[in-house]
Every structure is written in structure tokens, then in C-alpha cells.
Amino acid sequence: QVQLVESGGGLVHPGGSLRLSCAASGSIFSASVMGWYRQAPGKQRELVARITIGSSTNYADSVKGRFTISRDNAKNTVYLQMNNLKPEDTAVYYCSAQRGANNYWGQGTQVTVSS
């Protein structure tokens, strides 16, 4: 069974920082591409950041230079460091894991940046 549990969301003022964590169960982590997605009110889900098994990263243009994704395979954990947060970053953030054709999702954590 694969389980993803996000933590670290909350309320923050513009310009503030948060670090999201996603703990993944089992031995599948090191063989999984990990990602962070978000869904803002009234918008569709979008990819925020992605990190491959080899630690190559991709970011949405809107977060480049502000967000950093990283992974710690020994801890089965992926992180999203979010700096200089903006009101438009407000969304539910979801952790994802992809292994081959299988995709798994966490339940999401709310990030709210006051406007």
C-alpha cells in the first residue's frame, strides 16, 4: 500500500515562507518521480514542481526562483521550500508519486497567503 502524507501548510503573509513535506510509505519512494501540484480556487490543478529519480527538477514558471523541490530518499520524504509567497500561491497543495504507470496522491494541504 502506498500512502502519501503532506504537512507544513498554513496561513502566511505575502513575502513569507513555508516548507511543505510529503512522507511516502514503503520502498517505492526511491523508484518514484515525485511532484507537487496545486489547485487554486476556481482553477484547475497545475504542476508546481517535479523531481525525478535522478534528482532532476522542473518548475512552473510562476514559482521559479521562489520554490525549491528536494527529496531525501533515506527518509522517504519530498520537500517543497516556498519563499517569497504571494497571494496567488494560495491553493491546496498535493504531493504526488509516479512509479511506472501508477500514480499516487496525498490528501492535500492548504496554503493560504493573505491578500
Side-chain angles (χ1 to χ4, degrees), residues 55-78:
S55 296
S56 178
T57 58
N58 297 102
Y59 298 93
D61 288 341
S62 59
V63 308
K64 286 181 179 177
R66 300 189 297 119
F67 291 11
T68 303
I69 188 171
S70 61
R71 66 191 294 162
D72 187 337
N73 290 343
K75 296 181 179 180
N76 288 351
T77 302
V78 63

Side-chain angles (χ1 to χ4, degrees), residues 10-72:
L11 176 65
V12 66
H13 294 299
S17 297
L18 287 172
R19 188 178 77 158
L20 305 183
S21 299
C22 173
S25 66
S27 60
I28 56 91
F29 183 85
S30 63
S32 299
V33 176
M34 304 298 298
W36 287 97
Y37 293 74
R38 69 186 181 188
Q39 187 166 14
K43 295 186 177 181
Q44 65 182 17
R45 182 187 292 176
E46 65 173 346
L47 174 68
V48 176
R50 178 177 176 269
I51 185 165
T52 68
I53 296 170
S55 296
S56 178
T57 58
N58 297 102
Y59 298 93
D61 288 341
S62 59
V63 308
K64 286 181 179 177
R66 300 189 297 119
F67 291 11
T68 303
I69 188 171
S70 61
R71 66 191 294 162
D72 187 337

Side-chain angles (χ1 to χ4, degrees), residues 73-91:
N73 290 343
K75 296 181 179 180
N76 288 351
T77 302
V78 63
Y79 305 94
L80 185 67
Q81 178 67 45
M82 305 185 294
N83 297 326
N84 192 23
L85 284 160
K86 303 176 180 180
E88 52 263 43
D89 295 319
T90 295

Side-chain angles (χ1 to χ4, degrees), residues 98-110:
Q98 177 189 319
R99 188 189 183 201
N102 296 319
N103 289 87
Y104 307 92
W105 296 91
Q107 292 182 298
T109 184
Q110 177 71 48

